[in-house]
């Protein structure tokens, strides 16, 4: 399957996946994710932490096994290795998010794929750990974590990591700048981990 870079918002939507991770005793945790290469998917670290079996599911329902190859808990980011998926993949925007610009979130709250729209409402520098977060009023619920925050052109502004406990109009994403640093430091899938095997995918399918 051939993957090509996403060149617009529609293609970026198609690059977005559901991440499903085992959480013990037959439990499956649900989050979002987005393809950032022909065989890599980016998600939030807390979606896949301590999971023995991880998989991704495309918009059309196709399930693939995945291997976690890098995590950064301070930025709440994780990189997954999957077999070549044929999906478009997004690029991280070089320019920082701007307050007032369009913001689009793709995720899987309750296991149902959903796209929500809003704007960037703030850009926050978290001095305690050196992370920058993009704040948005696009609707974010449990299950959106790990999904992309996209600009009007389908480029990645950040990865969704949290929602406000009491205000549905406030959510946060780890910034594109932090994502770019994480990806630059992450190992290459081909050198650090084998391609997900049929056995891993089989365990994943049985779990689901």
């Amino acid at each position: 399957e051939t993957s090509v870079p996403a060149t617009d918002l529609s293609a970026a939507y198609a690059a977005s996946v559901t991440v499903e991770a085992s959480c013990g005793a037959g439990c499956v945790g649900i989050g979002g994710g987005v393809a950032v290469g022909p065989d890599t998917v980016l998600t939030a670290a807390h979606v896949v932490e301590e999971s023995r079996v991880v998989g991704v599911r495309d918009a059309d329902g196709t399930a693939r096994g995945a291997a976690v190859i890098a995590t950064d808990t301070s930025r709440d980011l994780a990189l997954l290795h999957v077999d070549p998926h044929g999906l478009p993949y997004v690029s991280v925007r070089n320019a920082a998010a701007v307050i007032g610009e369009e913001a689009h979130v793709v995720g899987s709250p309750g296991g149902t794929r959903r796209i929500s729209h809003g704007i960037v409402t703030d850009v926050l520098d978290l001095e305690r750990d050196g992370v920058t977060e993009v704040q948005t009023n696009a609707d974010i619920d449990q299950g959106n974590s790990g999904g992309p925050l996209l600009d009007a052109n389908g480029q990645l502004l950040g990865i969704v990591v949290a929602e406000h406990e009491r205000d549905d109009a406030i959510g946060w994403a780890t910034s594109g700048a932090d994502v770019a640093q994480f990806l630059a430091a992450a190992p290459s899938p081909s050198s650090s981990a084998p391609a997900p095997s049929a056995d891993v995918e089989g365990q994943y399918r049985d779990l689901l």
Side-chain angles (χ1 to χ4, degrees):
E1 296 179 280
T2 302
S3 294
V4 297
T7 56
D8 56 29
L9 193 55
S10 177
Y13 290 156
S16 304
V17 300
T18 299
V19 175
E20 297 168 309
S22 65
C23 46
C27 164
V28 178
I30 301 293
V34 64
V36 289
D39 58 357
T40 50
V41 166
L42 187 65
T43 187
H46 75 263
V47 171
V48 296
E49 63 184 353
E50 300 181 2
S51 298
R52 291 175 292 106
V53 181
V54 178
V56 301
R57 190 177 296 276
D58 304 350
D60 66 3
T62 301
R64 294 178 173 84
V68 179
I69 59 173
T71 59
D72 184 331
T73 55
S74 65
R75 293 185 173 107
D76 199 357
L77 297 172
L79 188 64
L80 311 180
H81 182 203
V82 299
D83 285 325
H85 45 62
L87 300 173
Y89 52 90
V90 301
S91 58
V92 181
R93 197 174 85 176
N94 291 326
V98 177
I99 295 173
E101 72 170 297
E102 288 182 31
H104 309 269
V105 170
V106 188
S108 300
T112 302
R113 182 180 174 87
R114 187 182 71 190
I115 299 169
S116 58
H117 313 281
I119 63 171
V120 172
T121 55
D122 206 348
V123 179
L124 309 170
D125 290 323
L126 307 184
E127 294 181 359
R128 66 180 183 277
D129 49 21
V131 175
T132 299
E133 288 191 345
V134 181
Q135 183 174 298
T136 181
N137 63 359
D139 193 16
I140 291 174
D141 293 303
Q142 186 175 2
N144 277 111
S145 289
L149 180 69
L150 303 164
D151 70 9
N153 298 312
Q155 291 187 305
L156 192 67
L157 288 174
I159 290 293
V160 174
V161 293
E163 61 172 319
H164 197 284
E165 291 183 357
R166 297 179 299 278
D167 191 336
D168 291 339
I170 299 177
W172 297 279
T174 299
S175 73
D178 283 289
V179 169
Q181 291 176 15
F182 169 70
L183 293 177
S188 167
S190 59
S191 63
S192 62
S197 66
D199 180 57
V200 171
E201 187 171 358
Q203 294 176 31
Y204 166 56
R205 290 183 184 279
D206 290 345
L207 176 69
L208 296 182

